[in-house]
Structure formats: structure tokens, C-alpha cells
Amino acid sequence: MARRPLPRILSTGGAQLARSRELARTAVDNAADVLHPLIVVTRGLRRLAGAARRTWSKTPKDRRGPLLFLVASVLLVVVTVPYGPLLAAVALMAVAAWQGRDRTPRQPEGPDASRVQRLASLYEALVPYFSAAEDPEPLYSHGGAWEKAFPAHEFDDSGRIRHLVVRYPAYFTDGEPESRTRIERLLAAKAGRGREYLFTWDEESNQLTVTALAPLPTGIAAQRFVTAPGETVLGFTDPGEVQRTLPLTCGEERRDVPPVVWRTGPRSTEPHLLALGQPGSGTSTLLRSVALQALQHGDVVIADGGSTGEYACLVGRDGVLAVECGLSGVLASLEWAATETERRLIAVGRARQAGQPPPKDTRRPLWLLLDRPATFTHLAAAEGRTNPQDLLQVPLRHGRAVGVTVVVAEQLDNAEALSDAVRRHTHARVVLGAATAQQIEAVLGAPPHTTPPAAVPAGRGYARLGTKAVHRLQVPATPDPYDDTVSDAWRQAVLDLLPPRTTPADGQTVPEGAAAGTGASLVKPS
């Protein structure tokens, strides 16, 4: 069948529409050029009228009469003088044109001498990596022009590079991690140390974009986050990294901050968390933040291997089943947790076989928080007792189906003391504090997308949930409220989030400071 031609209005309508738009745009540009003097004079008259109005409003009432008389006298003289009105109109237009001029300061074209020198030195440093003797028209050569290699660049107020686009030849091995690492280290050193840089490689266009990242906010204290049940805020990251923001209070300011949200529950792909860091990096702060969020909808068991009283504020609180600092208490708590996990599995299985919903006592989340479990492993080996980490196998393997979540925090130096079950089943990973790129990659399973800084504040690091992207992370400030060395506002924020004290069986209320110095609380029976 022969194909019928399109109607003329459809085949030529797009071209006519584009031509009409071009004619209209040209007419507007020409009209703006022709009417530019009139626009300037009108703007000047408006400014003069505004100045006259402000002068009249500032003049006291007893002086307005003489002012009007003076203006009338000047107008009378202008009218009586030959060619007075014409000269006055010309003078008014000249003053209006002068007042209506564009007062925006002109930006200097191109970078100044110091910035040109910085770009030239950076170009020369890249020559050995982006040049080849066989290249007939090299993009990088000693003494060459950096303008072609750096098509876009921006500087901050201190004169350091903030944004840079680097072109490189097609024969550069940008698919090899070693080659990329060498270039990233060089650019980070030449662009300015002490900052974090984001490197975006575009292999198709042979371009590398370097962006200096702003530091993450460190003044966000612990607070109630707008999250659904089963969602835990680990910290905050860069804008654009996640498709969500949370309304937060930072001092007296309200703003939206992008969070790193960890989801737990039966449908979670990363139901357990492992946090590693150097001493003082903020792993205990992360566990306190997780505990305060978990207590909103579940129960918590805490094993403190540091024995420094970091979790004394949680002793005796509603929902806190145990806070153990000794080996015997930890073993008893973890044995109960393994038995509780098995009990829940059996109850849920029977309910499903009977076609009924799971029992209510199996749907309340149970959190097992272990801080530095390698300490208990060492003590158990010295006393010939069971390794506490072996008791985590059942909660780690089967806890997701019955609402049991395990969170382990350990120091990087003791990471080898973690059991295979902990390493295998903790798919959500966090690295806090100063760490090399190799250490971060070994923990997270992927290299960081930014250059790790040499000095980092407490709670600063990287997070990766399962096989997703690596995010920069800043944990909210959640200090020990009994520590007098931290800010009073941050300590009060933690105290406001703590649940009330547990009421004993005799009906008496436990005093607020009664459990502050205790080391453990008994495990609630199942």
C-alpha cells in the first residue's frame, strides 16, 4: 500500500513555528535596543521622583511652606528666562539618564593573575599523566594552553578551586581504578588540602568534574525525626544524594536536611547494622541515637563492652530490657534473645499455618545493641566460656522475619575479632572517624565517592546500605546526658527524648537519679 503524504500544515508547521519564534525574538531584541535610552530615562525619572518624595516626607511640617515657596520661585525664574523651559527639560533628561544608568558593577572577564597561575600549575602537573609521545596533537604538553583542558572553572572567596571540569585524552585509562586514584590524589593536593572533593568521571565525553564539597552540619542535636515505623535515621548527607529531606531544628533555625534512612523489618534487605570507627569517632553516639529512635516502637537490649557508663541514662527506662556491662549479664541477655527469637519464629509459623495474623507479642520490634563485643569475646576466651558473638547467630539469621534487629559497633583495630556471622549478616555498614580509602572500601565493599579528609569531627564518616551507593554521613549529636563536658543544650535534648522510668510492681515510681550509677538491669521475662 502506498504511503499517503502528510498534510501540508503538519509537515511544514514545525518549521513555520520555529521561524515565527525566531522573528519574534529578533523583534524583541531590536525593540529593546531602540527603546533602551527611553528605558534609562524613565528609570531615572522614577528614582528622582522617589528621592523627591523621601525629601518631602523627611521635611518637618513647619518648613514645608518655605520649601514650596522656594520651588515656585525657581519655576518662575525658569519660565521667565529665554529658552528656560527647554534648557530645564534638557537638564532634567540628562540628570534622569545619569540616575537611570545600570549601577551593577562589572565582573572582571576571566580569572585574575593568581587564579591563572593556579590553573597553569595544575595543568602542568597533569601533563605527565595525560600526555603521550605518539599523540600528534596533544591536549596536554609542557607550556601548553590550559584553556582547552579546563573548559569550566569556579573559585571560592579564598581563591581556591571550587568547581573544575577537566578534559582528558581518549587514550587515558579511565576504566582502571589505579589510574583514577592517581589523578584524584593529584587534583586534591593541587586544588587545596583540608577539603573533601567529589570526582565525577564521564567516560563517554572524556571529562572529569571536580567539586569541593561543603562540610556537613555538625550542630544538629538529637530530636524526634519525621519517620515511619521501621525507619531509623543514621545521620545526614549531602543535598542531591538522596531523594528526601527531613524538617529539623538546628539551634533556633528550622531547615530541611537530607537524611540517610535505614529501614528494618520483614521486608528489609539489610536488617542488621555494623558500625566501625576509631576511638572517639562517634560509634557510641550512633548507638545512642539508634536506641532513642528504637524505643519509640520497640524494646532494647544493650551490651556495653566499653564499661564506661555511656548508656547509664537508659537504665530503668520503659522499653529498655537490659543494659549489661559484665560478661555474665551479657551472656544471659543474649541467650534470652536467642530463645526469644526462636519462640517468635515458632509462634509466627503456627499462626501462618492456621491462617491467622502473627501474635501481638511477636510484632513488637526487639533491638540488640552491642558496643565493642570484642571485649566480651576476649573475656569469654580467658574464662573458657561461650563466645557472646556465637549467641548472635540465631538473631542475625532469622531475626528479620520476627522483628529482631542487631546493631554492632566496634573499633577498626578490633574488626578482625568479629565473628563470621556478624560480618556475613550485617549488610548495612557505617565507618566513622579518620580512615583511609582502603579501610573504608574493606568495610563498605565499595570505595568512597569523595576524598576522606585528614581531620574529621565526631560522628563524621560514610554509610552504605546493602549494595547501594556510598554516602557521606554526619551522625546527630547524641552525647551522654550525664557528661558535663558537652553542651547543655545537647544534653537536654537527649534527656527530653528518654522514656520515663519503669514503674515497679509495688506501684512506686523510680526516682529520676536512682539508676544513674547502676551498671545493669534485669532482663524482662518473655
Side-chain angles (χ1 to χ4, degrees), residues 15 250 390 397:
C250 185
D390 295 340
R397 292 180 179 179

Side-chain angles (χ1 to χ4, degrees), residues 422-441:
V422 172
R423 298 182 183 182
R424 189 181 306 112
H425 296 284
T426 52
H427 300 297
R429 299 289 182 89
V430 173
V431 178
L432 299 180
T436 62
Q438 292 76 14
Q439 290 176 326
I440 298 174
E441 184 177 2

